[in-house]
Amino acid sequence: MRATTRLALLSTSAALVATATCATAAQATDGGAGNITIDKVVVNGGKPVVVGTTKVVSAKVSVTASDDSGIAETTYIYAVGPKPNYAQIWYDDGDITCVKVSATTSTCTGTLTFDPQAATGFVNNAAAATWNLSTLVSANDFDYIHRDAATTFKVQRQSSLTVNAAPEPVKKGKTLTVTGKLSRASWDDNKSHGYADQSVKLQFRKKGSTTYTTVKTVRTSSTGTLKTTVTAARDGYFRYSFGGTATTAPSTATGDYVDVR
C-alpha cells in the first residue's frame, strides 16, 4: 500500500484534468468534460474485502469506460474509508493496466492492498465500513471524467470460530457440552479478540451425510465464548456457524466429530 498522498504526475491529457479539477486524488470532486462515461466499476469481484491481523490482502479493481475517441488511461484508483483509512494505485507507476474491449471502450485494472500492520493508510478498526472508490479516466481526445464514488464496497474484520463437543465418546441419550469461541481481528493492536453478544448457530451433520442442520442458536459471552448442551443421539459432527455483521465477516468452525455409543 502506498502510504503517501501526492500530487498526480500525469500524461498530457490527464494533466489537463488535474488543472481542471485543481485537486489531488484524495480531494477531487465529481467532474468531467466531453462525452466520456464510466460504464462499470467492480471491486474484489463484488465481495467484501476481509482483512485479518497480519496478512496483506489484495483486492482487484476494474474500471470500464467509453469514449468515441477511445480511452487513454485510468489515471488513478483511490479507495477512501473513514479517516484516516485509504488505499491508492496510480497509472504512472505501472500499477494500472488498460485493455481495449473495442475501439471506444477499455477496461482498466489494478490491485488495491490493505495492510493491517501499516503505519498509515489502513490503521484502525474504523476501517470496517463502506468505502468509496474514486477514479479519474481520460480519453484520447482529452475528454475526462472523475467520480468521487464511482462505486462503494465493504471492508470487514476477519472472524474465526472454534468448537469442541465433550465428552467423547459419549453414550446415546447422555448430555454433550459444546463449547467454542468467536473471535475477530482488531486493527487497533493487530490481535484477535472475543466478539461479545453475537448470535451463533450450533449445527449438526450426521455421519455419512454432507448437510449440516441448525440445532439451536447460542449467544456469545462478554469474552466471545460459547457454551451449550445437547442430547447425544447419533454419530456425527458439531460445528458453530456465524453469519457475520456489517463490520465483521462470517465464519464457520471445522466440525468436531462425536462418537455416540
Side-chain angles (χ1 to χ4, degrees):
M1 175 181 299
R2 303 190 180 281
T4 57
T5 301
R6 57 172 190 169
L7 290 174
L9 303 175
L10 307 177
S11 65
T12 301
S13 61
L16 295 175
V17 177
T19 301
T21 58
C22 298
T24 66
Q27 299 167 333
T29 56
D30 284 358
N35 58 1
I36 185 173
T37 60
I38 294 176
D39 305 324
K40 187 177 182 181
V41 180
V42 179
V43 180
N44 201 40
K47 299 178 181 179
V49 178
V50 179
V51 184
T53 57
T54 58
K55 184 180 178 181
V56 176
V57 175
S58 299
K60 183 179 178 180
V61 180
S62 65
V63 177
T64 301
S66 299
D67 185 84
D68 54 8
S69 69
I71 299 301
E73 65 181 49
T74 293
T75 304
Y76 63 74
I77 295 171
Y78 196 96
V80 184
K83 292 181 179 179
N85 299 285
Y86 69 91
Q88 60 184 347
I89 45 181
W90 295 79
Y91 184 86
D92 286 353
D93 294 337
D95 295 335
I96 300 174
T97 302
C98 295
V99 176
K100 283 187 176 182
V101 176
S102 68
T104 59
T105 302
S106 293
T107 296
C108 301
T109 60
T111 301
L112 294 169
T113 57
F114 301 82
D115 185 352
Q117 299 195 4
T120 59
F122 188 80
V123 296
N124 58 31
N125 287 334
T130 297
W131 288 45
N132 288 336
L133 195 289
S134 171
T135 190
L136 173 65
V137 185
S138 58
N140 291 322
D141 61 0
F142 306 128
D143 289 355
Y144 73 93
I145 185 171
H146 171 266
R147 289 293 177 263
D148 192 51
T151 193
T152 61
F153 65 98
K154 285 185 176 181
V155 173
Q156 294 182 321
R157 296 161 69 173
Q158 187 178 64
S159 70
S160 61
L161 266 173
T162 62
V163 66
N164 182 58
E168 301 174 59
V170 63
K171 289 185 178 180
K172 185 175 182 179
K174 294 295 185 179
T175 297
L176 272 171
T177 300
V178 187
T179 57
K181 185 172 184 178
L182 173 64
S183 301
R184 65 171 175 168
S186 170
W187 305 318
D188 291 333
D189 60 5
N190 295 322
K191 296 179 181 179
S192 289
H193 300 276
Y195 196 7
D197 198 31
Q198 298 301 308
S199 293
V200 178
K201 293 179 180 179
L202 175 65
Q203 299 179 326
F204 178 76
R205 173 170 67 88
K206 67 181 180 181
K207 182 179 180 180
S209 173
T210 59
T211 304
Y212 276 92
T213 58
T214 298
V215 177
K216 63 171 71 174
T217 299
V218 185
R219 294 198 76 84
T220 60
S221 71
S222 60
T223 58
T225 59
L226 292 154
K227 185 177 182 180
T228 191
T229 58
V230 293
T231 300
R234 60 181 65 86
D235 292 352
Y237 300 82
F238 284 95
R239 73 179 187 184
Y240 281 117
S241 183
F242 172 59
T245 64
T247 61
T248 306
S251 59
T252 300
T254 301
D256 183 27
Y257 182 74
V258 176
D259 180 12
V260 179
R261 298 180 178 180

